[in-house]
Amino acid sequence: MRRDAIADPWGARTPYGPGQSWPVRVDSQLADGLTEDDVDRWVPTAAVLHSNGDGLELAVKDGRLVGVRGRAADRVNHGRVDPKDLYGWQANASPDRLTTPLVRRDGRLVEASWDEAMGLVAGRSRALLDERGPSSIGFYTSGQLFCEEYYTLAAIAHGAIGTNHLDGNTRLCTATAAAALKETFGCDGQPGSYTDVDHADVIALYGHNVAETQSVLWSRMLDRLAGPNPPSLLCVDPRDTPVARAATVHLAPLPGTNLALMNALLHEIIARDWVDHDYLDRCTVGFDQLAALVADYPPERAAEICRIPAARIREAAALLGGAQRLLSTVLQGFYQAHQATAAAVQVNNINLVRGMLGRPGRGVLQMNGQPTAENTRECGADGDLTGFRNWANDAHVTELADLWNLEVKQIPHYAPPTHAMQIFRYAENGSLRLLWVSATNPAVSLPDLARIRSILSQDRLFLVVQDVFLTETAELADVVLPAAMWGEKTGGFTNADRTVHLSEKAVDPPGQARPDLDIFLDYARRMDFRDRDGQPFPPWHDAETAFEAWKRASAGRPCDYTGLSYGKLRQRAIQWPCDAEHPDGTERLYVDGKFFARPGYCEDYGRDLVTGGPADQNEYRAVNPDGKAMLKAAEYLPPREMPSAEHPFALITGRTIYQFHTRTKTGRVPELRDAAPEVWVEMSEQDAKAHDLSEGDLAEITTPRGAVRARVRIRGIRDGVLFLPFHYGYWGTDDPSGRHRAANELTITDWDPVSKQPLFKTAAAAMRRAEGTR
Ligand code: SF4
């Protein structure tokens, strides 16, 4: 079905009832004037402009991409396509794609051969390894590559080089999802499944504007709402989003107060004994401590902190407490906020206390932000050890060393992996001298941009950027490596509900651009990395051999891929774990009340939720000897930066449905660019009035870090809160010198103590009408 997906992002309703199968609706979009009869081939892939993992097919004609359509049989989307995907394929053919390597000469980036560019990268790496050791080299990757590429990068960084400094921009999106799952279940891995939407009678969305972040999943929810016996929705969000408008109960807490609200919801659920005691006894530890802590959070206390009526909190608790099939979902409103992991863990706790796990409609989805973020985590490109192994468990490190045929001491395990903000700090203080950035744009996406620009611009830092366009980050690089895009290479990737898709090469990359996998392997060969037997490392040489190697690394771990193959994935998408015992994959984890949390098996021994201080194996074993789910709790603390007389607004940043990340791709697609061409600021009617502002006026928002100018949109956001979309950097602007457009000029250098996810939703700001701009 073709539609104007800008005007109608979610498409026509196909209502269905609880327990029924979601009806198929195939969306498609072809270049003007073409019909399906004109298409030479349809090439299977999945969506890469959000985390939903919708199954797609790319239309190819005369060796060019000419359109897209949904895969009717795909378990994720049943044929539907998100607006970004309907139009986004056009970005591949943008005239300004990087087609040749660039190197910096006399201060300017000039074209070079692959040999020259890679020779420079390898030469600098070799010199640094000799002079300063492995910790002088760091890698900052993405949530948009394929699993084969992440696995290769993890093997090179953690294995061949032995640096602990490897992370992805998933630190900005899903680090808290991973951390919350580890804290509760001892291991990463999404318990729920999208099919839980088909069964749930209550869906609770915490800081998750699914209507814009995963529009196809929202279509699924809208279709349930339009069908018989619809579910009730609980929405926790300070903004008046489409989810909030459809909700049975909408709670709009003051930013920075999520944990107080969650503690009060748990207080009420426990006080009213909406508790599954049998499940708690069999499957969990820690209930008494949780109950004791939340006893001090009656709704009246949270009401004062969060500035929402206590009666509303009770209404929400009653909804959760009365649910028969409760699906809970969480995203950036919690993950990018103050006390992120502690708040996300309380969502897990609600489902556990209510015994709502592992059965249809009873699940938790700690969502991802990016299409392949799950793989960044599984493969270890977020710094964790490959295959959800535990860096603090010597047996796990030894297992990995044997798998790679390297010495154990080669794999850094002296400290937790270095998180992104710390990697940039090491670059700032000069201990890290080579930073290799792949498929991400930290010069726009990281907080406190003036600081990030100064770090990336240092002479002593050798900056390598591997990307498909000359991004704001690439402009600062010493070497730029042109990469192939989705549709131009083959590889696997996994969405937020553990569904693995194979994305096939449909067309050739432009010019000399190469798949990221080829670039990483080329580097390994030039560096002449060797294993214990003197054989080249890594030993794989293309996408399929890399996938087979990754399968071996995943064997016996929660994310077991050993039952998958390219051949099998060509038939259909499958949810991991997929092994001999589960050849068709696994719809839900923890159906039998058994967890990946045994002390010798778990991925992490956990942390104090307030301080982030790590526990060791003995402490973990003392608390959880049998590997049950853990009910952890934490006191609410106010954020470091709260609204004040000078900066009276709470500032949050976020997304729009029409753009992805820093618009590197979506900003080059006419339909998407024109749907949201410029940064804006959302505020309440009362706040606009108080500042003499009307719709469309230009406002200036300032924090101690900088200033941004944005057009006013008056919306149903709560009073005292400002929202800025974070997508807009300086590419495509007439005057980049002012630096008054990117929301991250304003955000703070601060992070959650457990997940190390930066805080994008907790800053204090001032606002005024920009001079002479009405
Ligand atoms: S827009 Fe970027 S930071 Fe936000 S969830 Fe998506 S990928 Fe993550």
Side-chain angles (χ1 to χ4, degrees), residues 20-39:
Q20 295 173 355
S21 174
W22 187 27
V24 165
R25 185 194 83 196
V26 175
D27 301 332
S28 67
Q29 183 73 29
L30 288 171
D32 278 348
L34 293 187
T35 69
E36 296 210 352
D37 290 342
D38 298 315
V39 174

Side-chain angles (χ1 to χ4, degrees), residues 24-26 55 70-75 77-79:
V24 165
R25 185 194 83 196
V26 175
R71 286 156 71 175
D74 195 276
R75 65 170 301 279
N77 55 326
H78 295 216

Side-chain angles (χ1 to χ4, degrees), residues 499-671:
T499 304
V500 187
H501 284 93
L502 183 65
S503 179
E504 307 253 25
K505 176 176 172 177
V507 296
D508 286 329
Q512 298 177 45
R514 300 165 73 187
D516 298 83
L517 178 68
D518 292 13
I519 300 172
F520 293 141
L521 288 174
D522 182 357
Y523 174 71
R525 298 296 173 257
R526 285 171 194 268
M527 292 296 288
D528 197 26
F529 295 132
R530 300 274 161 176
D531 68 13
R532 275 192 291 225
D533 297 324
Q535 297 302 309
F537 181 83
W540 49 91
H541 55 270
D542 62 10
E544 190 156 6
T545 53
F547 187 78
E548 290 299 315
W550 158 236
K551 280 167 57 180
R552 285 192 290 282
S554 74
R557 296 303 299 163
C559 50
D560 196 321
Y561 278 61
T562 51
L564 295 173
S565 64
Y566 274 17
K568 204 161 162 179
L569 290 170
R570 286 192 172 109
Q571 310 297 315
R572 68 187 176 92
I574 299 177
Q575 287 169 286
W576 64 248
C578 178
D579 54 14
E581 209 183 316
H582 309 97
D584 296 322
T586 307
E587 192 168 25
R588 292 179 187 82
L589 300 183
Y590 313 139
V591 289
D592 48 6
K594 301 252 181 323
F595 303 91
F596 302 129
R598 294 187 312 282
Y601 188 80
C602 67
E603 184 186 1
D604 201 282
Y605 298 133
R607 291 171 178 271
D608 182 283
L609 294 185
V610 173
T611 66
D616 64 21
Q617 195 184 73
N618 289 335
E619 290 164 313
Y620 182 89
R621 195 180 286 280
V623 172
N624 193 20
D626 302 321
K628 296 184 176 185
M630 293 163 281
L631 295 160
K632 297 180 85 167
E635 294 283 0
Y636 167 73
L637 296 174
R640 266 188 277 281
E641 191 169 280
M642 278 294 259
S644 62
E646 205 182 336
H647 295 99
F649 288 94
L651 172 70
I652 58 177
T653 70
R655 276 194 267 180
T656 160
I657 189 169
Y658 302 116
Q659 302 293 346
F660 178 61
H661 212 60
T662 61
R663 296 192 319 140
T664 305
K665 287 174 276 201
T666 51
R668 287 175 164 89
V669 174
E671 292 86 349

Side-chain angles (χ1 to χ4, degrees), residues 65-87:
L65 296 184
V66 293
V68 70
R69 73 179 174 199
R71 286 156 71 175
D74 195 276
R75 65 170 301 279
V76 172
N77 55 326
H78 295 216
R80 286 159 192 77
V81 183
D82 173 277
K84 287 191 286 297
D85 303 312
L86 276 176
Y87 306 112

